[in-house]
Amino acid sequence: MSAPQPQQPADAPNVDGHLPVPADVPTLLVKIFGKDRPGLTAGLFDTLAAYSVDVVDIEQVVTRGRIVLCALVTQPAPGLEGELRATVHSWAESVRMQAEIISGIGDNRPRGVGRSLATVLGHPLTAESTAAIAATITGTGGNIDRIFRLAKYPVTAVEFAVSGTETETLRTALATEGAKLGVDIAVVAAGLHRRAQRLVVMDVDSTLIQDEVIELFAAHAGCEDEVAGVTAAAMRGELDFEQSLHARVALLAGLDASVVEKVRSEVRLTPGARTLIRTLKRLGYQVGVVSGGFTQVTDDLRERLGLDFAQANTLEIVDGKLTGKVTGEIVDRAGKARLLRRFAAEAGVPLAQTVAIGDGANDLDMLNAAGLGVAFNAKPVVREAAHTAVNVPFLDTVLYLLGVTREEVEAADAQES
């Protein structure tokens, strides 16, 4: 066991050789608020510059045209604080703003151990829900350091930066509260890994697309109701997936192979699917799909959407007819998790930096193996077991769980249009 390392003094230089503000140095918190207009930030710091103060921290928020600008600065030379206060108030009055200046010591107090990001998706997000979420965070011993809106449509997405409590503790508490409120909440650990290149792997049926592919085939075979009943039982976890797959595929025996093109044309992407994949690819992510459906459809989706990985079962076709059998390795519940690990290895992405999205019981192993498992409009058994759940019908809302804002998505789309 290595010897314990000495604690770094509060005023020790950081790795760049710079000294932080000592804890006992007097500082001033200068707050300006009122109607936003161009030039306010420059005006405030021009005013402060006359007193040779150093900037310790800055934060600015604009909401519906109203600005709150906070600057934490070192105290000016002895005897000049009163003049600085009077000058700042005079400047603020001249631009029809209000000013508040508070004396204090040192920088902001350190954040508590444990830092997490909690993303809340509301449709709508009510004041009652927000109050309950904030109270739950406090109840875990956490402190809300910052709140930031990621999107205003098609859902309201808000991110809470929380410190002082462990990520798993916060995730468990907020998952329980979110279920009561009917609000989707995802909690992830804060840190550099969130900005790292990732791999996102999705289920296909009822996730990437709105349909169950085998039911589309069954409609052409005249046995749609029978197949749909078996599919629903399998997705609820009531039937062994492999047995149910063979039973359903057997009903397709004799179908002409030309039905494949018809089914491909009938597939409907989930709203937001193209936006999700396009944005992930722009960010440098790799994207794949794993499906208990069929390569006859997933290969087409891979080409159309520019996916990096795709794996599914394969319908056997002999002499231009479906035989009612599948060939090759079966992609079932365990197979999906296995493929997630394989794709991650091929992509050079640690499993902790993978995201899995699915809706059925056969997705559970994959969701639990991923760094972040997202249950998308899922069955109850899946919602309860996944890291987080999204219960709105827009697949691109997953972007908000990764910290991507709606404005960033739209700006990127505009640049390429």
Side-chain angles (χ1 to χ4, degrees):
M1 181 180 296
S2 60
Q5 298 298 310
Q7 290 282 339
Q8 187 180 41
D11 58 352
N14 60 24
V15 292
D16 294 320
H18 300 299
L19 286 170
V21 174
D24 59 350
V25 167
T27 51
L28 298 176
L29 174 60
V30 181
K31 182 167 72 172
I32 305 298
F33 49 98
K35 186 177 180 180
D36 188 27
R37 62 180 66 85
L40 290 176
T41 304
L44 172 62
F45 286 98
D46 276 343
T47 303
L48 293 171
Y51 297 91
S52 300
V53 296
D54 295 332
V55 178
V56 179
D57 196 3
I58 310 173
E59 188 150 342
Q60 178 174 306
V61 177
V62 178
T63 305
R64 212 180 67 177
R66 310 294 290 185
I67 186 173
V68 178
L69 170 58
C70 295
L72 185 64
V73 300
T74 55
Q75 192 178 58
L80 293 181
E81 181 178 333
E83 182 182 330
L84 179 149
R85 287 173 174 269
T87 303
V88 169
H89 280 287
S90 177
W91 168 80
E93 188 175 330
S94 73
V95 293
R96 301 187 300 281
M97 301 291 285
Q98 297 183 57
E100 182 180 6
I101 303 175
I102 303 170
S103 298
I105 300 294
D107 199 346
N108 304 310
R109 63 186 177 87
R111 293 181 180 181
V113 175
R115 294 177 57 200
S116 305
L117 297 168
T119 305
V120 179
L121 306 180
H123 192 56
L125 180 61
T126 66
E128 179 183 8
S129 296
T130 306
I133 291 165
T136 300
I137 292 172
T138 301
T140 67
N143 182 71
I144 300 172
D145 298 321
R146 183 172 298 172
I147 305 175
F148 177 72
R149 187 178 71 181
L150 297 166
K152 58 184 177 181
Y153 73 93
V155 298
T156 301
V158 179
E159 182 177 271
F160 291 74
V162 180
S163 63
T165 187
E166 295 299 329
T167 298
E168 284 301 324
T169 301
L170 185 64
R171 177 183 290 156
T172 300
L174 287 179
T176 302
E177 191 62 32
K180 293 178 186 176
L181 299 169
V183 173
D184 299 331
I185 307 175
V187 178
V188 297
L192 288 176
H193 70 277
R194 200 184 194 206
R195 299 181 181 90
Q197 185 186 43
R198 283 186 173 182
L199 167 70
V200 177
V201 176
M202 288 175 275
D203 173 46
V204 176
D205 294 7
S206 299
T207 300
L208 178 63
I209 66 174
Q210 300 177 60
D211 313 281
E212 291 287 334
V213 169
I214 196 165
E215 292 177 16
L216 297 180
F217 277 101
H220 292 281
C223 56
E224 185 177 11
D225 291 343
E226 187 175 353
V227 166
V230 178
T231 299
M235 292 302 98
R236 290 192 300 267
E238 297 171 1
L239 294 176
D240 173 81
F241 178 81
E242 184 170 350
Q243 290 178 336
S244 71
L245 175 67
H246 288 303
R248 289 174 290 171
V249 171
L251 297 170
L252 307 180
L255 270 180
D256 192 275
S258 63
V259 78
V260 170
E261 287 301 324
K262 295 177 183 177
V263 167
R264 286 176 174 175
S265 68
E266 293 166 352
V267 165
R268 301 166 299 161
L269 291 174
T270 297
R274 288 188 183 276
T275 300
L276 172 66
I277 294 169
R278 181 173 64 244
T279 305
L280 291 173
K281 298 293 287 181
R282 285 171 177 163
L283 290 169
Y285 287 36
Q286 297 188 59
V287 185
V289 294
V290 291
S291 177
F294 310 110
T295 56
Q296 282 83 357
V297 171
T298 57
D299 287 349
D300 180 61
L301 290 171
R302 178 175 184 169
E303 183 176 346
R304 285 166 52 194
L305 300 174
L307 301 172
D308 300 284
F309 304 97
Q311 189 69 44
N313 300 302
T314 299
L315 291 169
E316 184 181 62
I317 298 175
V318 176
D319 297 330
K321 301 286 185 181
L322 274 65
T323 66
K325 299 178 182 179
V326 291
T327 63
E329 180 183 359
I330 297 297
V331 179
D332 56 8
R333 175 170 169 166
K336 288 188 173 186
R338 196 163 52 245
L339 287 165
L340 171 70
R341 294 185 175 92
R342 183 193 304 173
F343 293 167
E346 292 177 12
V349 174
L351 200 59
Q353 289 172 207
T354 61
V355 179
I357 311 168
D359 74 298
N362 65 328
D363 298 315
L364 275 174
D365 289 2
M366 175 178 73
L367 296 181
N368 289 328
L372 176 64
V374 181
F376 181 74
N377 292 306
K379 285 69 179 174
V381 65
V382 183
R383 289 200 304 268
E384 293 168 6
H387 297 141
T388 190
V390 171
N391 295 300
V392 293
F394 311 106
L395 194 56
D396 54 339
T397 54
V398 172
L399 291 168
Y400 310 142
L401 307 184
L402 305 177
V404 180
T405 71
R406 190 77 200 177
E407 289 181 348
E408 290 170 330
V409 173
E410 292 175 351
D413 286 343
Q415 289 173 2
E416 291 199 3
S417 63

